[in-house]
Amino acid sequence: MMIYKTAEEIELMRQSALLVSKALTEVALFLKPGITTFSIDKMISEFIRDNQAIPSFLNYHGYPYSSCISVNDVVVHGFPGKNELKDGDIISVDIGVIRNGWHGDHAYTFAIGQPGKEVSELIQVTKESLYKGIEKAIAGNRIGDISFAIQEHTEKKYGYGVVRELVGHGLGRSLHEDPQVPNYGKRGSGPKLKEGLVLAIEPMINLGKRDVYTEEDGWTVRTKDGKPSVHFEHDICVQKGKADILSDYSIIEEAEQANPNLFSSHPVKLFDGGH
Ligand code: MF3
Ligand code: CO
């Protein structure tokens, strides 16, 4: 069942999404070689609790941390731990909060130092594909239009692997609501989009093949070929003509640019006219 949000509810959800953006901004300022991913999780958890919210991932189906920190060939759901970040690492940081009963859930991929050309291109193109998908998230279109746009820009155009096992989702009072939002699919297929539908759109794109496996811990998803994977996620609300992006990359990008330890991917603009 798809749950459509009222204008008031959308404003509350924007606050939750923005709190995640602010937490990711703190991460962007904090990242440097030598720190552990556990220290990042600790900072995120404290930041969320200091802002009248709770980390939604903690204990979700038994997930043991407040964030997912996925380094290099880890696609998603990486456990924060004792491993220290080093030059050339790419790090997807995925954060969820519940504030006033409403969920925010979004993610950004950072790189320490200067990744090679192949990897920096993967980061840029994955971010672009998220916006290509968002451009199609307008009333009257279908989920498949979003999926198709993401797949076209990544698999078709660049030959990257689009992960099939994990998908985006509806978001609201629950972390995962209908509908599912795959990052691959057919134009014009799937549920119809109506105003007030809030979606977490989250391409997970592999430099190599699309195949992944889950580790013994039951969570950590890695690429089978060991090549890196990138993950970007925004919370958006379907509207007429142009989607409303509830989360905000601009503050994260500003912090990323200010941090000399980080590679900065370029901001991507949303164009309307997704017909
Ligand atoms: N962004 C991910 C998702 O939407 C994060 C979930 S991690 C979990 O599925 F720990 F909460 F499961
Ligand atoms: Co999500």
Side-chain angles (χ1 to χ4, degrees):
M1 183 191 54
M2 301 209 269
I3 304 168
Y4 303 93
K5 278 77 184 178
T6 65
E8 294 74 40
E9 291 171 340
I10 291 162
E11 289 319 304
L12 289 168
M13 289 199 71
R14 193 188 312 281
Q15 293 307 313
S16 302
L18 279 178
L19 179 56
V20 175
S21 308
K22 288 175 191 164
L24 287 168
T25 301
E26 294 298 310
V27 172
L29 295 169
F30 185 71
L31 284 171
K32 61 177 178 197
I35 62 168
T36 67
T37 54
F38 186 73
S39 72
I40 302 169
D41 184 74
K42 185 165 179 287
M43 192 213 70
I44 291 168
S45 170
E46 288 169 1
F47 184 82
I48 293 169
R49 293 176 196 281
D50 286 347
N51 283 276
Q52 297 75 50
I54 55 168
S56 60
F57 295 174
L58 186 63
N59 299 323
Y60 182 82
H61 293 283
Y63 186 79
Y65 297 96
S66 296
S67 62
C68 300
I69 304 189
S70 305
V71 180
N72 297 334
D73 63 316
V74 178
V75 179
V76 285
H77 303 165
F79 283 180
K82 288 183 301 211
N83 46 316
E84 290 176 7
L85 293 176
K86 56 182 191 318
D87 238 49
D89 281 345
I90 63 170
I91 309 113
S92 141
V93 182
D94 190 354
I95 301 176
V97 303
I98 310 171
R99 191 168 181 273
N100 296 317
W102 295 96
H103 282 261
D105 165 28
H106 87 105
Y108 196 92
T109 295
F110 301 95
I112 306 277
Q114 188 54 49
K117 190 171 174 295
E118 266 196 319
V119 172
S120 56
E121 188 164 81
L122 175 68
I123 293 173
Q124 188 65 36
V125 169
T126 303
K127 193 198 264 187
E128 286 168 9
S129 78
L130 171 57
Y131 284 80
K132 299 270 182 202
I134 296 171
E135 273 162 26
K136 301 295 178 189
I138 54 175
N141 275 358
R142 290 181 184 270
I143 287 292
D145 295 313
I146 301 173
S147 308
F148 179 82
I150 294 170
Q151 187 179 17
E152 278 285 299
H153 192 64
T154 52
E155 204 170 82
K156 254 284 192 47
K157 194 161 172 204
Y158 290 88
Y160 296 145
V162 174
V163 175
R164 303 296 202 266
E165 288 82 351
L166 298 135
V167 296
H169 50 95
L171 186 73
R173 288 199 178 275
S174 306
L175 176 57
H176 294 128
E177 295 183 358
D178 287 339
Q180 294 199 343
V181 188
N183 298 304
Y184 60 94
K186 286 194 175 63
R187 217 185 251 164
S189 70
K192 204 159 198 170
L193 303 173
K194 278 185 14 189
E195 286 163 79
L197 183 68
V198 176
L199 301 173
I201 304 179
E202 46 180 322
M204 289 151 266
I205 309 296
N206 300 346
L207 182 61
K209 295 214 164 65
R210 71 188 197 206
D211 309 78
V212 299
Y213 69 97
T214 304
E215 273 185 26
E216 299 278 286
D217 62 19
W219 286 99
T220 312
V221 178
R222 283 184 195 270
T223 59
K224 277 196 182 159
D225 61 14
K227 292 188 179 174
S229 182
V230 169
H231 177 216
F232 281 96
E233 179 176 21
H234 258 318
D235 300 336
I236 68 98
C237 183
V238 172
Q239 294 296 354
K240 281 189 189 139
K242 189 176 190 174
D244 182 3
I245 307 182
L246 305 178
S247 37
D248 182 7
Y249 277 174
S250 70
I251 54 175
I252 304 166
E253 286 161 343
E254 210 176 295
E256 187 180 48
Q257 277 156 22
N259 183 339
N261 303 301
L262 295 183
F263 157 81
S264 296
S265 54
H266 301 291
V268 181
K269 221 168 109 30
L270 183 65
F271 296 99
D272 35 325
H275 298 277

